[in-house]
Amino acid sequence: MRIPGSKSLTNRYLLLAALADSESVIHAPLHSRDSALMIAALEQLGARFERLETGSPFGPDLRVSPIPFDSLSANQRSIDVGLAGTVMRFVPPVAALVAGSTHFDGDPHARVRPMGPVIESLRALGVDVEDGARGSLPFTVSSAGGVEVDELSIDASGSSQFVSALLLAAARFKNGLLLKHEGPAIPSMPHVEMTLEVLRQVGVEVSSPSENSWRVEPTRFPGFEITVEPDLSNAGPFLAAAVVLGQSVSIPDWPKETTQGGNHWLEILPRFGASVELAQGSLTVTGPAGGARAGFGGIDLDLAAAGELAPTVAALCALADSPSRLRGIAHLRGHETDRLAALTAEIKRLGGEAEETEDGICVLSPVSHGGLMHTYADHRMATAAAIIGLVIEGVVVENVETTSKTLPNFTGLWQDMLAQFSGGRR
């Protein structure tokens, strides 16, 4: 199974290409709702994008002309963030570098996603933000076209994206930025490491003077040419299918080294009895004989470093024949939906038993019958439902098209996989 490009990497490269001094070319980017929203947002700020057709089933490459900071006049703009955390959090600091006012809003649920640290950070940097005292969307960023403050402390315990948002834009700040995190542990720290790595890849000087502090030097960096890795988190549902059906799935172009949280599949899936082999650039997962119908045990797992994998892991737990506990993922309450509440409700809807904990979820007994699984406009809830539906008859996935947020044509890819399992029969 070939998987389209990483959403997290694509949106970071798109944003950095918009901040560069010359044109960039991004090969194999993800084309999804989240990346389309990022492109549209950066276009509002003055960047331009050209599609370069390659014949890839996942869409064209992109040539990016950066924001012309020196020639922009102050005006008013409006940006739709949809439900994309990378857009609602990464783009406002870039808007602070462009003279004028930029209004941000999005889908209804976007208005309840945590945004306070971004808004408070911009104000501390000397940027005017009007949010009606809500600390959330909608809000308007007004700027004279630059940031001079060079040191900032924030509490990023609600999302690693609060750190990445500031680091990605900081090279364009007049004096760079020394950013410090003060508070409980940052969830999904590999995403911060990803941000540091992509900054270094494009030529930005960045360091970590001490734990939970980062220094970005003011850097004018040239355009770049980069190829986006496959989305290893989105590979999860296909690898999970191998586990629950006792089949084999191979994902080509799996990187030897990566900052993507999806690389944790190599350690997670053997906990469910699968064999995992990374060889010649492909990751192959083979499920235990008989899959879920033959039975496999539950797990106790800390997912703090890769919370985006939790819905897929929870789907496997909902098919296991002994209890499971997933820990370290309290921050999932602030994702596309409250994922802990949603997973608990949907497992119980299908006859399983589950309960929320302070920092995660316990699956106490497996699902036992079909029914309509709600997705809450959350792409990972939809793919979790699809996994359960491989084993439990009569599962109907409500609004499966929400997967287009990060995994376009999910249903087509899913059917192709099942056709290969059945020797070409759909």
Side-chain angles (χ1 to χ4, degrees), residues 30-278:
L30 175 68
H31 291 276
S32 70
R33 188 185 184 216
D34 274 19
S35 58
L37 287 164
M38 178 63 83
I39 289 170
L42 296 172
E43 285 178 332
Q44 284 290 309
L45 298 176
R48 294 291 176 263
F49 297 83
E50 178 187 355
R51 298 163 68 91
L52 306 175
E53 296 297 338
T54 64
S56 167
F58 298 130
D61 293 349
L62 292 170
R63 178 180 287 120
V64 186
S65 299
I67 298 169
F69 290 100
D70 297 334
S71 61
L72 285 177
S73 57
N75 56 27
Q76 297 181 343
R77 312 163 199 88
S78 182
I79 288 176
D80 176 14
V81 306
L83 197 50
T86 51
V87 181
M88 68 179 70
R89 291 164 181 159
F90 291 2
V91 178
V94 178
L97 299 170
V98 179
S101 63
T102 308
H103 183 69
F104 290 85
D105 203 356
D107 294 358
H109 190 73
R111 294 185 172 193
V112 300
R113 294 193 71 176
M115 285 296 299
V118 172
I119 293 170
E120 294 161 10
S121 296
L122 290 175
R123 288 177 177 146
L125 292 171
V127 179
D128 181 66
V129 183
E130 175 52 52
D131 68 334
R134 291 180 300 273
S136 62
L137 290 161
F139 58 82
T140 300
V141 174
S142 299
S143 174
V147 172
E148 296 189 4
V149 177
D150 64 355
E151 187 168 337
L152 181 66
S153 294
I154 66 169
D155 180 353
S157 58
S159 174
S160 65
Q161 289 180 347
F162 300 143
V163 172
S164 292
L166 293 160
L167 297 182
L168 287 166
R172 276 281 181 176
F173 293 179
K174 182 178 179 180
N175 301 304
L177 182 67
L178 175 61
L179 179 64
K180 300 177 181 179
H181 161 67
E182 297 179 351
I186 300 173
S188 300
M189 271 299 291
H191 282 100
V192 175
E193 296 300 325
M194 176 186 290
T195 295
L196 298 174
E197 177 63 22
V198 299
L199 285 167
R200 295 183 181 114
Q201 282 178 340
V202 304
V204 175
E205 186 178 345
V206 58
S207 61
S208 182
S210 61
E211 186 178 6
N212 291 328
S213 73
W214 305 270
R215 172 70 189 171
V216 179
E217 301 300 332
T219 311
R220 299 290 293 268
F221 56 96
F224 52 88
E225 186 169 356
I226 202 83
T227 299
V228 180
E229 297 173 1
D231 194 310
L232 308 188
S233 297
N234 277 339
F238 303 95
L239 300 176
V243 176
V244 302
L245 295 178
Q247 297 275 0
S248 290
V249 168
S250 294
I251 309 291
D253 303 320
W254 197 279
K256 288 184 179 180
E257 296 182 2
T258 181
T259 53
Q260 290 192 62
N263 207 42
H264 284 80
W265 290 127
L266 279 72
E267 292 81 42
I268 293 172
L269 297 179
R271 302 279 298 272
F272 292 100
S275 66
V276 176
E277 180 183 15
L278 181 58

